[in-house]
Amino acid sequence: SGESPYLCKANPLPDRSAVVSFEDQSRLEGSELMRRDFVANISHELRTPLTSLMGFIETLRGPARGDVDAHDRFLGIMEQEAQRMNRMVSDLLSLSRVEVDERVWPRDEVDVSAVLRSTIATLEGKLSDSGIAIDAENLTECFPVRGDRDQLTQLFLNLIENAIKYGGGDKTIHVGVKKVQRDQALRQAAIQVDIRDQGVGIDPIHIPRLTERFYRVDDHRSRDLGGTGLGLAIVKHIVNRHRGRIKITSEQGVGSCFSVILPAVG
Ligand code: ADP
């Protein structure tokens, strides 16, 4: 798929610490080499659970035939592997959808606070299961942007789910929204959403690559938590489509803050 015509608009941020703007790395994409890499990655990501499934089928037919305990255990694992493949395919479809949409700027006026409130509501079960509280700031005020409601929901869902997954010890996630009179990179008024956790944090060397497809800081951890490695790639494309930018600040052992900055209406 082609790249967005808006990608080169914003300047790289002057701050060179643990901050990255999407525009920087998007230029690297689109090359044939990266496309080939992507196909190789997908094949590998899908083959891993598939190989495991085939192994268990063989075991159930052979050595474990008639062993009821083993049957239950293996079927449980097989179900998890099938669910992983299912998530992977869903994320791949979402990714290709937002990539196709990227050339069109969504026109509807959407209240970011309302999207955040409904996103948090859909996560209620997951939040109480993991004993995590959301500390919300300003979500009763209206902050309009031009946007695609479903994609913005997916964007915030991915970021809050990551904050839950990698949130670590302290069980509070901060979700705040505010208006910025003039965002330097966007060169206009903006709505900024901050999603902050007090979890494992990210070593700054990884930050510029986080939004690449299948890039994970800790492969095992991500897989154990059911990650596909595509969540932030989807986030990046949704933000691009909305002509916004994302800023990631993080400190290892302290926590991370993912800020989404979108052009304000008006
Ligand atoms: P995954 O499915 O692996 O979570 P993502 O694309 O959503 O994939 O994220 C890519 C990687 O970025 C993750 O594997 C993780 O290492 C890191 N990451 C994302 N969000 C956070 C966070 N809030 N705290 C620490 N690390 C994070």
Side-chain angles (χ1 to χ4, degrees):
S1 68
E3 289 298 325
S4 159
Y6 314 118
L7 288 180
C8 300
K9 269 201 166 167
N11 291 325
L13 293 172
D15 186 342
R16 252 171 248 164
S17 63
V19 178
V20 68
S21 76
F22 276 158
E23 293 79 10
D24 295 344
Q25 358 165 17
S26 298
R27 278 189 212 117
L28 297 174
E29 294 188 359
S31 70
E32 185 54 31
L33 192 65
M34 286 202 65
R35 242 185 286 279
R36 252 180 279 161
D37 256 15
F38 183 46
V39 173
N41 277 332
I42 295 172
S43 312
H44 173 76
E45 295 282 344
L46 288 175
R47 184 166 279 167
T48 308
L50 202 52
T51 305
S52 155
L53 276 176
M54 279 157 38
F56 281 112
I57 290 170
E58 210 166 289
T59 312
L60 286 173
R61 281 215 174 114
R65 187 187 279 274
D67 179 341
V68 179
D69 284 350
H71 267 222
D72 277 355
R73 207 151 33 85
F74 292 168
L75 283 173
I77 302 172
M78 290 166 77
E79 189 177 17
Q80 276 176 11
E81 298 290 10
Q83 280 166 349
R84 176 193 302 286
M85 291 179 74
N86 196 24
R87 266 198 307 275
M88 188 74 69
V89 172
S90 302
D91 278 359
L92 283 168
L93 285 172
S94 300
L95 190 60
S96 78
R97 249 196 315 267
V98 290
E99 276 181 323
V100 168
D101 285 349
E102 221 173 67
R103 284 160 226 214
V104 189
W105 196 23
R107 285 162 180 274
D108 291 348
E109 194 170 307
V110 178
D111 171 20
V112 173
S113 290
V115 175
L116 283 168
R117 286 197 304 269
S118 69
T119 308
I120 292 170
T122 62
L123 283 168
E124 223 154 72
K126 204 173 246 186
L127 285 163
S128 65
D129 282 352
S130 36
I132 290 175
I134 296 233
D135 156 38
E137 186 188 333
N138 281 348
L139 296 198
T140 48
E141 231 178 289
C142 180
F143 292 101
V145 298
R146 297 242 171 262
D148 177 318
R149 182 180 297 274
D150 291 343
Q151 288 189 356
L152 289 175
T153 301
Q154 173 152 41
L155 158 70
F156 296 128
L157 197 64
N158 287 3
L159 291 178
I160 299 174
E161 279 184 333
N162 276 353
I164 297 173
K165 282 194 293 185
Y166 305 104
D170 191 285
K171 301 290 187 191
T172 306
I173 296 167
H174 174 88
V175 178
V177 51
K178 65 183 177 197
K179 182 159 186 179
V180 180
Q181 283 316 325
R182 186 177 165 80
D183 179 78
Q184 278 197 336
L186 298 184
R187 299 204 183 95
Q188 70 156 99
I191 305 300
Q192 175 164 344
V193 176
D194 294 319
I195 295 167
R196 190 165 52 231
D197 64 63
Q198 295 168 355
V200 291
I202 306 158
D203 186 323
I205 61 159
H206 294 290
I207 290 181
R209 300 196 59 193
L210 281 189
T211 59
E212 287 174 23
R213 301 145 171 168
F214 301 122
Y215 190 87
R216 302 167 170 107
V217 175
D218 180 340
D219 230 40
H220 285 294
R221 192 189 181 97
S222 160
R223 280 170 215 277
D224 287 350
L225 294 167
T228 60
L230 292 172
L232 290 180
I234 294 170
V235 163
K236 175 182 84 168
H237 285 283
I238 295 175
V239 171
N240 279 347
R241 184 178 180 218
H242 288 77
R243 299 187 196 173
R245 66 187 185 95
I246 185 160
K247 196 168 75 175
I248 305 169
T249 40
S250 187
E251 202 177 322
Q252 269 185 296
V254 177
S256 311
C257 182
F258 287 74
S259 304
V260 173
I261 300 149
L262 303 171
V265 167

